[in-house]
Amino acid sequence: MRGHITDPGAEGGLALRELPEPEPSPHDVVVGVGAYGLNRGELALLQQRTDGWRPGQDVAGTVLTEAADRSGPPEGSRVVGIADGGGWSARVAVPSHRVAVLPEQVTFEQAAALPVAGLTALRTLRQGGALLGARVLVTGASGGVGSFAVQLAAAGGAEVTALVSGKHRIGALRGLGAGNVVTGIGEDAGPFDLVLDGVGGPVLAEAIHRLAPGATLVAYGIAGGADRTPLAFYDFAAAPLARLVGFFVYASGEDTFGRDLGVLATLVDRGRLDPQLGSVRDWAETTDAVEALRRRTVTGKTVLTVPN
Ligand SMILES: NC(=O)c1ccc[n+]([C@@H]2O[C@H](COP(=O)([O-])OP(=O)(O)OC[C@H]3O[C@@H](n4cnc5c(N)ncnc54)[C@H](OP(=O)(O)O)[C@@H]3O)[C@@H](O)[C@H]2O)c1
């Protein structure tokens, strides 16, 4: 079968070539990939694993071989799933507890945008408890995780403030449910009961100063770069008992990935969650799509389609 593999000699360090078929464990389904999504985290891994690595976590497609232990959906099911690599390929093995069957109306392109970003948004929001009436700040709001988080928080009844990187991104937030879209965290912003931060550095430092007493700040990414955030006890003067949570999606309960992917796919089916497909391209253009994500020219999610 064909698929992507890192190769230091290939253009952009990534080649589409003939690869061995997946070797499923008894608990894996083999998915014939219809579409796959890109994640910012994969950009760093592509630079580290430059030779012989097969990337790809977010996949949607059809079950070609059901799990030998009968734990997953049957052959022919349309599914979304989160693979342990190898998803930028025609076929991939995925543990059956990490897939969800797709509602008929949800396309593979929509579904492929969901896994890492959607699960991160859903599960970081859960860190803050009840959303009804909560004042929530989402940084990096035009990004993959951010645009899901804004919509899910609004659907849960929160008062959402969306922070974007500049005026050019404000339009992208229209219709996602944020009550307020801002390009900076001013002194008058907040206070917030829950902050989701995927940008880091100075943005994280400013957000800490806008916390309400007892608030939760979930730090999950560093899309703005690896600058460290200085922190002192006094930063919590206005927010006693606030807590900081370092969030890692793969440590957030992998056994229920499939169930939560089902939650997200159902919301898409009901028109309550829009996967914000910023770029949908043929898989032969994966190297260019990776570069566009790296240059921050995409708003929302990037998805590649695999020809039958
Ligand atoms: N911990 C986990 O389990 C986990 C899971 C998923 C993602 N992540 C991490 O979370 C981060 C976000 O992921 P993603 O998939 O949402 O990435 P993404 O789609 O690239 O979105 C990143 C967002 O951050 C914004 N941004 C970047 N630099 C900024 C800056 N200096 N100031 C203000 N905003 C800035 C971008 O705005 P522009 O588009 O305007 O540039 C964009 O809205 C990444 O670091 C990723 O690796 C971690």
Side-chain angles (χ1 to χ4, degrees), residues 29-44:
V29 295
V30 177
V31 177
V33 179
Y36 53 83
L38 306 190
N39 288 292
R40 179 155 297 276
E42 285 157 342
L43 302 185

Side-chain angles (χ1 to χ4, degrees), residues 4-110:
H4 286 86
I5 186 164
T6 56
D7 176 347
E11 190 198 335
L14 191 65
L16 176 56
R17 63 169 62 122
E18 203 57 34
L19 297 173
E21 288 288 338
E23 291 178 10
S25 76
H27 188 57
D28 292 346
V29 295
V30 177
V31 177
V33 179
Y36 53 83
L38 306 190
N39 288 292
R40 179 155 297 276
E42 285 157 342
L43 302 185
L45 292 176
L46 282 168
Q47 285 177 329
Q48 290 159 19
R49 303 175 184 178
T50 54
D51 199 0
W53 181 55
R54 291 165 60 177
Q57 304 162 91
D58 296 0
V59 296
T62 307
V63 173
L64 300 177
T65 313
E66 73 180 290
D69 67 2
R70 307 263 166 185
S71 56
E75 234 173 82
S77 304
R78 298 172 71 254
V79 294
V80 57
I82 183 162
D84 263 331
W88 300 359
S89 303
R91 291 179 279 285
V92 66
V94 187
S96 64
H97 63 274
R98 290 184 178 197
V99 301
V101 174
L102 288 174
E104 212 173 296
Q105 304 303 324
V106 177
T107 66
F108 288 154
E109 288 86 344
Q110 290 174 312

Side-chain angles (χ1 to χ4, degrees), residues 38-43 116-117 120 124 139-147 163-166 168-169 183 197-200 202-203 219-225 246-251 293 295-301:
L38 306 190
N39 288 292
R40 179 155 297 276
E42 285 157 342
L43 302 185
V116 169
T120 301
T124 48
T139 74
S142 64
V145 178
S147 55
L163 174 68
V164 293
S165 66
H168 64 299
R169 292 295 196 210
T183 56
D197 177 55
V199 176
V203 170
Y220 68 87
I222 48 166
F247 179 88
F248 296 84
V249 71
Y250 283 101
L293 185 60
R295 281 187 275 111
R296 294 171 61 188
T297 55
V298 184
T299 308
K301 291 296 297 179

Side-chain angles (χ1 to χ4, degrees), residues 97-98 119 123 126 252-261:
H97 63 274
R98 290 184 178 197
L119 289 174
R123 291 178 171 204
R126 285 181 181 150
S252 68
E254 197 219 301
D255 49 324
T256 49
F257 274 174
R259 195 173 81 197
D260 278 350
L261 284 173

Side-chain angles (χ1 to χ4, degrees), residues 213-232:
T216 301
L217 188 153
V218 187
Y220 68 87
I222 48 166
D227 288 353
R228 300 193 75 80
T229 304
L231 185 65

